Amino acid sequence: MGAALTPLNVASLSAKVKVERLMKLARGKKRVVILTHDNPDPDSIASACALAVLFEKRAGLEAKVAYGGIIGRAENLAFVKVLKLPLTPVSQIIFDEYDLACLVDTQQPVGNHSLPPGVKADVVIDHHPLREEGQLAPFADVGRNYGATSTLLVEYLRAARLEPGSELATALYYGIKADTRDLDRQTYDPDIDSYLWLFPKIDRTLLGQIEHPELPARYFKLYYQAIKRAKVYSDAVITDLGEVYSPDMVAEVAERLSFLEGPRWSLAFGSFRSQLYLSLRVSDRRMRAGRLIRDTLVGLGGSAGGHGSMAGARIPLSGTRRDRAALKQEVVSRFQKAFGVEGERGTALLNVAQQDS
Ligand SMILES: [Mn+2]
C-alpha cells in the first residue's frame, strides 16, 4: 500500500483541507478497506461507514468496511441491523486486493484492531489520545479533543458537502451519543455542533429500536453473575464475569458498576476466546484511566488503552486452567494496589446491599 505523501498529522488543519488531502491520497486508487477497532462499538462503525461513503461518493473508490472480533451487545447488534450497515468480518478480507487501508477510532500501535502486521495503515482517524507512532500514517488525524471519531467524520462530510442519508446520519448521531454518554462525558464543542447538525436528519424510530433493543436471556444471566461475584472495597468495585458471550459486555458491566455509590473505581473482567478482557471506569475525571490500565498491566502482553474516565485492555490467556487462574489473580492484585485497596478483604456486593437495608 504505497503512500506518496509524507507523514503529517493533519489534526490542526481545517476539515476542508483534510478532505483535500484524503482525496489526493485516493487519486489513482481503486479499492479501499476501512477497519474499525476489534469488537467495534457504534462510534467506530459509524465512522468507518461515513469514511466509506466519502471515498465512494467523492473519490469514486470501491470501499469496504471490515471489523475483527464480534459485535455482541444487543444495542450494537440492533445498530448494525436496523441501519443496514454494510460490514464484513475481517476474515473475509484479502488485504492484497486493496490499495488503500484505513483505521478508524484506533491507531496502529494500540493493537486493538485486525490490520495484519505487515500492512501499514494509509489513513488513521481517531479521537483517542495520540500514540506517537499513531501519526506516522500518510494521513493521520489524531490527538485533538473530540468526544467521538464520528464527530471528525461529520466535519469531513460537511466539508465535502455530502449530505448523509437518514441511516448514516442516525449512525453518526448514535456514535457521538454513545461515546459521550449523551454529551455528558468528554464532550467538546465540535461534538455538540455535529450532534445538532445531524439531529434533523436522523430517523428517531430507528434510534429508538437501537437504544431499547430486546435483550437475550443470557444478558440477564451475565448480569446475575456480575452482581453475585462483585466485590466492594473502600474505593473500588471489582467483578469477575468468568466466560462472557461477548467481549463488549465487559465494558457494559464496568460502566454499570461505576454508578455504585462510594467507590471511585470499577473494574470488570471476563474471558472470551482465550483472551482476558478488562474494562475500567473511574468517577473522578482527573484520574487517567488509560494510563493506569497500561501501567498496571505492563508486561502481560496484549493491548490496553483508553481516555479520561474509561479504559479497556485485553491480554492473552494461555496454559492450563491453573495458569489462567493465577494470571487473573495477578491482575486483580495489581489493580487492588493501583486502586489503593491492597490488603483489604472486600465485601461481596450482595452483602453490602444487606447492610444498606
Ligand atoms: Mn470512539
Side-chain angles (χ1 to χ4, degrees), residues 191-339:
D191 301 307
I192 298 166
D193 196 41
S194 296
Y195 191 86
L196 295 176
W197 184 77
L198 289 167
F199 185 70
K201 308 174 199 299
I202 69 169
D203 185 321
R204 283 184 291 118
T205 306
L206 297 184
L207 183 66
Q209 290 170 20
I210 296 163
E211 292 194 298
H212 309 289
E214 283 192 326
L215 298 166
R218 61 187 181 174
Y219 173 92
F220 295 95
K221 187 178 169 195
L222 187 146
Y223 255 102
Y224 169 73
Q225 296 280 9
I227 291 164
K228 199 169 72 172
R229 294 179 179 176
K231 275 203 148 179
V232 184
Y233 302 86
S234 59
D235 201 19
V237 52
I238 301 177
T239 193
D240 177 358
L241 301 173
E243 192 79 25
V244 292
Y245 64 85
S246 172
D248 44 20
M249 284 306 300
V250 178
E252 174 160 337
V253 167
E255 176 83 23
R256 195 69 204 149
L257 286 177
S258 74
F259 290 97
L260 177 66
E261 61 182 354
R264 281 185 302 174
W265 297 98
S266 95
L267 173 73
F269 57 92
S271 53
F272 180 79
R273 293 183 187 162
S274 292
Q275 306 255 11
L276 187 67
Y277 285 83
L278 299 107
S279 188
L280 179 65
R281 296 289 182 276
V282 60
S283 55
D284 185 339
R285 285 157 191 253
R286 289 164 304 177
M287 315 297 267
R288 293 167 64 191
R291 173 57 56 81
L292 184 127
I293 204 165
R294 285 167 68 187
D295 290 349
T296 305
L297 296 175
V298 77
L300 297 179
S303 63
H307 43 149
S309 57
M310 8 177 0
R314 65 175 183 201
I315 48 184
L317 282 171
S318 57
T320 62
R321 251 180 106 102
R322 187 179 279 180
D323 295 337
R324 290 161 176 240
L327 178 70
K328 274 193 194 180
Q329 192 44 55
E330 165 71 14
V331 164
V332 169
S333 60
R334 284 191 191 189
F335 275 106
Q336 286 172 327
K337 203 167 170 195
F339 298 152

Side-chain angles (χ1 to χ4, degrees), residues 41 43 105 127-128 148-149 179:
D41 63 2
D43 181 39
D105 207 32
H127 71 120
H128 293 93
T149 301
D179 259 35

Side-chain angles (χ1 to χ4, degrees), residues 6-48:
T6 40
L8 172 69
N9 192 346
V10 300
S12 61
L13 305 175
S14 72
K16 191 163 171 283
V17 177
K18 291 179 190 176
V19 171
E20 284 168 10
R21 295 270 172 104
L22 269 181
M23 294 304 112
K24 206 169 160 189
L25 198 59
R27 212 171 287 159
K29 307 287 190 340
K30 289 189 176 63
R31 304 182 73 195
V32 56
V33 59
I34 303 160
L35 239 67
T36 63
H37 55 69
D38 289 347
N39 311 310
D41 63 2
D43 181 39
S44 188
I45 296 168
S47 302

Side-chain angles (χ1 to χ4, degrees), residues 99-135:
D99 39 23
L100 214 49
C102 314
L103 266 184
V104 295
D105 207 32
T106 183
Q107 297 161 49
Q108 193 131 15
V110 177
N112 62 341
H113 56 77
S114 293
L115 203 57
V119 178
K120 280 257 183 293
D122 301 291
V123 172
V124 177
I125 303 167
D126 184 28
H127 71 120
H128 293 93
L130 175 70
R131 298 279 182 97
E132 280 309 318
E133 306 144 72
Q135 52 185 348

